[in-house]
Amino acid sequence: MTLPLITTKSEEIFAAAQKIMPGGVNSPVRAFKSVGGQPIVFDRVKGAYVWDVDGNQYIDYVGSWGPAICGHTHPDVINALKEALEKGTSFGAPCVLENVLAEMVIDAVPSIEMVRFVNSGTEACLSVLRLMRAFTGRDKLIKFEGCYHGHGDMFLVKAGSGVATLGLPDSPGVPKSVTSSTLTAPYNDLEAVKHLFNENPGEIAGVILEPIVGNAGFIPPDAGFLEGLRVLTKENGALLVFDEVMTGFRIAYGGVQEKFGVTPDLTTLGKVIGGGLPVGAYGGRRDIMSMVAPAGPMYQAGTLSGNPLAMTAGIKTLELLQKPGTYEYLDKITKKLSEGLLQIAKETGHAACGGQISGMFGLFFTQGPVHNYEDAKKSDLAKFSRFHRGMLERGIYLAPSQFEAGFTSLAHTDEDIEKTLAAAREVMSSW
Ligand code: PMP
């Protein structure tokens, strides 16, 4: 791409959007608020690439915030969707595709013996919290600072993602009576969790976390953290919930729980399992899931849940991921990207740290190490904004926030990574 980047049409469309939708977007981080400038408006996506309405092409490391793990608009997914479309977009009645995807999820994810499909990660997390409370008869919840579990009231306490990106205080409109049951601890801090259990004996329904954080930037768990939470929750009669909306089928086919060998009681999923259509899911132990209506008394429902298009995209995506070498490939190219970025930062004199696991990565503009959200907040946000803009101008589309992980896909090639690193070298050398 030649500089300067011309985005006249994007600017016109976004100006119009701001008059008719809050902030001009339907989800906050898209608005580029924290990096400055205007968002580019997409026209189409294919493989590892996106094109904006001005005709500029970018290598995409957002992947629709995670779902596009096979690359955008994979022909197998699109062809299956075309076929499914002929039979109808929504049944509101059982369909065999739900069985197929449910069996695939149960086979893949160690903790899941039964599953319920919903339409987003937010819904999955809201539902799982109700289930945690219903099953234990307890109200309190432990979550971690900087983790994001959707925009449900009781999760909007020290939340990550857009809340962190925009530096928002806990949201107005969330009653104190609701969030008073939400206890928070720093990520990777087992002592803090122990303390909360000791202070609230017999009152904590469970612990929910991103087993690898993606919503405060990329932060992996320290050795022993997940295992420690497993022990602490068991000792205290509480449930352990992995929010694998981002990591499920991305870190490994069976998610972080397969990769690290720690099995929670319940799991939430989203993003990849919908193959780019709106899907979420929650599942886990059969005795707990049997409480969900109509098998049991805990109510949760959805008009479009399990709809045939979403199930089809999910099934095809998981089939593609089952091919041998998937996760080795994602790991290989993402390692090359991550190590390359760190090396370039070092050579050009910028304090940076970061890492990757499988097709998920992060780069913080701070010396680090980053073990939690407080550490992540030490990043030089002005530097990140310059880096983001410089990369965009060179045809590289990164998440427009220091507090979001990046994603690669099976469609990214060695050449794409090399182009990305060449752009990063140019940008980081320029200041
Ligand atoms: N949990 C996690 C870990 C997420 O990353 C997200 C979305 N980024 C959600 C929940 C909410 O999912 P959705 O945006 O589909 O509601």
Side-chain angles (χ1 to χ4, degrees):
M1 186 182 291
T2 47
L3 294 170
L5 178 63
I6 308 285
T7 54
T8 321
K9 282 191 190 158
S10 273
E11 284 155 32
E12 279 169 19
I13 292 170
F14 188 61
Q18 283 176 293
K19 294 194 187 116
I20 49 180
M21 291 176 284
V25 290
N26 284 302
S27 194
V29 184
R30 290 178 203 171
F32 276 42
K33 277 245 178 196
S34 77
V35 289
Q38 296 223 332
I40 54 167
V41 176
F42 284 16
D43 179 45
R44 65 194 170 93
V45 294
K46 177 89 192 150
Y49 310 118
V50 304
W51 286 263
D52 69 16
V53 286
D54 291 279
N56 302 304
Q57 181 181 343
Y58 307 82
I59 303 173
D60 178 24
Y61 292 101
V62 179
S64 188
W65 300 94
I69 192 166
C70 300
H72 292 288
T73 57
H74 190 287
D76 290 7
V77 178
I78 298 299
N79 289 335
L81 278 173
K82 281 181 184 161
E83 243 175 68
L85 195 55
E86 292 296 323
K87 291 175 136 188
T89 55
S90 179
F91 295 166
C95 78
V96 69
L97 298 168
E98 294 166 288
N99 294 26
V100 176
L101 189 58
E103 274 168 18
M104 292 174 96
V105 169
I106 289 165
D107 284 348
V109 184
S111 65
I112 300 188
E113 295 172 347
M114 287 183 109
V115 65
R116 164 65 57 88
F117 291 113
V118 292
N119 304 295
S120 69
T122 293
E123 253 189 85
C125 293
L126 284 170
S127 309
V128 95
L129 175 58
R130 184 173 303 143
L131 183 55
M132 288 160 78
R133 288 169 159 171
F135 186 76
T136 58
R138 301 171 177 183
D139 281 350
K140 291 187 181 170
L141 159 84
I142 298 178
K143 78 171 281 288
F144 293 91
E145 293 162 17
C147 280
Y148 181 68
H149 306 294
H151 60 81
D153 280 358
M154 45 285 174
F155 294 120
L156 286 184
V157 182
K158 298 186 180 168
S161 191
V163 186
T165 298
L166 302 175
L168 294 176
D170 301 336
S171 176
V174 177
K176 283 228 161 40
S177 56
V178 173
T179 53
S180 61
S181 300
T182 306
L183 312 173
T184 59
Y187 198 77
N188 276 324
D189 189 342
L190 278 180
E191 281 308 310
V193 177
K194 212 180 271 179
H195 180 73
L196 289 174
F197 272 119
N198 290 340
E199 293 284 295
N200 299 273
E203 291 185 283
I204 296 173
V207 175
I208 187 167
L209 77 156
E210 293 178 63
I212 293 173
V213 182
N215 286 292
F218 172 82
I219 308 175
D222 289 346
F225 180 58
L226 300 179
E227 291 83 351
L229 290 177
R230 184 61 283 186
V231 172
L232 278 176
T233 44
K234 270 213 176 113
E235 278 175 2
N236 288 281
L239 299 174
L240 180 62
V241 183
F242 281 4
D243 178 353
E244 297 228 41
V245 166
M246 195 180 269
T247 55
F249 295 92
R250 172 165 287 279
I251 291 301
Y253 192 67
V256 177
Q257 51 198 276
E258 177 202 309
K259 180 99 182 163
F260 290 173
V262 177
T263 307
D265 301 296
L266 294 165
T267 298
T268 53
L269 294 167
K271 300 189 190 268
V272 171
I273 57 157
L277 273 85
V279 182
Y282 62 103
R285 276 168 36 193
R286 181 174 294 274
D287 58 331
I288 308 177
M289 289 303 291
S290 300
M291 283 201 80
V292 178
M298 192 219 81
Y299 197 70
Q300 182 272 310
T303 299
L304 292 171
S305 296
N307 94 75
L309 288 183
M311 296 295 104
T312 297
I315 292 164
K316 276 293 151 195
T317 299
L318 298 199
E319 277 175 12
L320 288 166
L321 293 176
Q322 284 171 0
K323 290 189 181 155
T326 289
Y327 294 93
E328 290 78 2
Y329 182 76
L330 287 172
D331 199 58
K332 187 182 85 161
I333 53 158
T334 317
K335 184 175 263 141
K336 178 171 170 162
L337 175 67
S338 173
E339 288 179 352
L341 289 173
L342 289 172
Q343 182 62 27
I344 291 163
K346 197 170 162 195
E347 286 170 22
T348 52
H350 298 289
C353 69
Q356 57 75 227
I357 301 178
S358 181
M360 184 169 167
F361 68 94
L363 178 77
F364 290 111
F365 281 101
T366 176
Q367 199 59 53
V370 172
H371 292 288
N372 56 39
Y373 182 42
E374 277 307 307
D375 295 338
K377 281 198 288 191
K378 292 178 189 144
S379 301
D380 185 333
L381 300 184
K383 213 169 230 195
F384 176 81
S385 298
R386 280 179 94 164
F387 178 64
H388 185 271
R389 179 70 203 171
M391 294 298 272
L392 193 71
E393 286 170 349
R394 287 162 181 80
I396 312 294
Y397 190 78
L398 298 171
S401 165
Q402 175 72 103
F403 302 114
E404 296 285 352
F407 303 114
T408 52
S409 79
L410 292 171
H412 286 76
T413 62
D414 257 337
E415 202 192 338
D416 292 325
I417 304 295
E418 276 152 25
K419 274 190 194 156
T420 306
L421 293 175
R425 184 173 291 282
E426 246 182 66
V427 175
M428 287 203 224
S429 306
S430 66
W431 29 270

